[in-house]
Amino acid sequence: MSSLAHQLIATREAAAQHLPPEVAATFTAQQATLAATNAPTLAIGTALPETPLLTATGSRITLEQLLDGSPAVLVFYRGGWCPYCNVALRSYEADLLPDLEALGVRLIAISPQRPDQSLSTQEKADLTFAVVSDPENTLARSLGILDDGSDEVRAAQARLGLDLAQVNDGGDYRLPMPTVAIIDSHRRVRWADVHPDYTTRTQPETIIEAVKAL
């Protein structure tokens, strides 16, 4: 089992111990439902739409500009408030980014959160790769990887002080399923791995193997 997998398990166990019992029970039930959900299939070869994204400082930028003629690994994550996301992003910084740079492949993290939240995520985790916002989940919606959540989950999040309509750019409460997509320099999807259960993530070694195979 990889280091990232171990860290994710430890994070889930810590949450079960430290969250209010009712909140923990709601999240555990949600995770069980998501784990039983079939992952959406991303059409290989499909070009991603050139939707506007926002940098961590709030500037508009296109996916084409981010790629700058290079292929990339796109990491869709829920937000900096999500402990599983933070664990995964730190792991990708340490265990994925150096190999990708050696191969000439960019690493780009994408979430629906506001730019100021993205900046906070980038600074707290000492991330050196691009961290951008997907306003109103436009890009995630085009891929079919959005999770609508439930009233029970949103109520549990509210008990923890989390209001996704305030955190996310455009007031969208939906979240992308954690997804890694490898795209070529023309924005075409060449490989993808979608995780409906947000407590699991694509392992760095799996991503490197996929990049090399392409």
Side-chain angles (χ1 to χ4, degrees):
M1 187 179 295
S2 72
S3 172
L4 174 54
H6 279 296
Q7 292 178 64
L8 292 170
I9 290 172
T11 301
R12 184 166 54 195
E13 291 173 347
Q17 293 176 4
H18 296 105
L19 289 174
E22 299 84 359
V23 171
T26 298
F27 290 164
T28 297
Q30 176 199 28
Q31 291 158 15
T33 298
L34 292 172
T37 301
N38 292 327
T41 301
L42 274 62
I44 303 302
T46 299
L48 299 185
E50 188 65 302
T51 57
L53 303 170
L54 297 173
T55 69
T57 56
S59 301
R60 285 183 172 269
I61 194 168
T62 66
L63 189 55
E64 196 80 32
Q65 289 172 317
L66 284 168
L67 295 178
D68 193 25
S70 299
V73 170
L74 306 184
V75 177
F76 288 85
Y77 71 105
R78 290 148 44 94
W81 51 267
C82 171
Y84 304 95
C85 296
N86 290 323
V87 167
L89 292 176
R90 287 190 177 97
S91 175
Y92 293 157
E93 172 74 27
D95 302 324
L96 176 62
L97 183 60
D99 288 331
L100 291 182
E101 289 181 335
L103 294 168
V105 178
R106 298 183 183 278
L107 180 59
I108 303 168
I110 303 172
S111 81
Q113 64 187 355
R114 299 194 316 264
D116 61 325
Q117 300 290 324
S118 294
L119 181 61
S120 177
T121 298
Q122 192 168 38
E123 291 178 339
K124 287 180 179 178
D126 292 324
L127 305 178
T128 59
F129 52 85
V131 179
V132 298
S133 299
D134 178 19
E136 299 182 3
N137 278 305
T138 303
L139 188 55
R141 187 186 312 113
S142 74
L143 293 174
I145 58 173
L146 283 183
D147 173 29
D148 290 339
S150 67
D151 292 340
E152 292 78 12
V153 169
R154 284 191 287 277
Q157 291 168 337
R159 284 196 57 184
L160 300 177
L162 175 64
D163 181 354
L164 292 176
Q166 295 297 319
V167 171
N168 288 348
D169 192 90
D172 193 344
Y173 62 82
R174 292 171 297 176
L175 296 170
M177 298 176 188
T179 298
V180 170
I182 300 173
I183 62 172
D184 62 23
S185 59
H186 301 289
R187 309 193 314 276
R188 291 190 296 260
V189 177
R190 311 308 303 179
W191 182 91
D193 185 37
V194 184
H195 287 244
D197 179 3
Y198 58 83
T199 69
T200 66
R201 301 296 162 113
T202 311
Q203 302 303 307
E205 58 270 24
T206 301
I207 301 171
I208 289 298
E209 289 174 4
V211 169
K212 289 181 177 179
L214 295 172

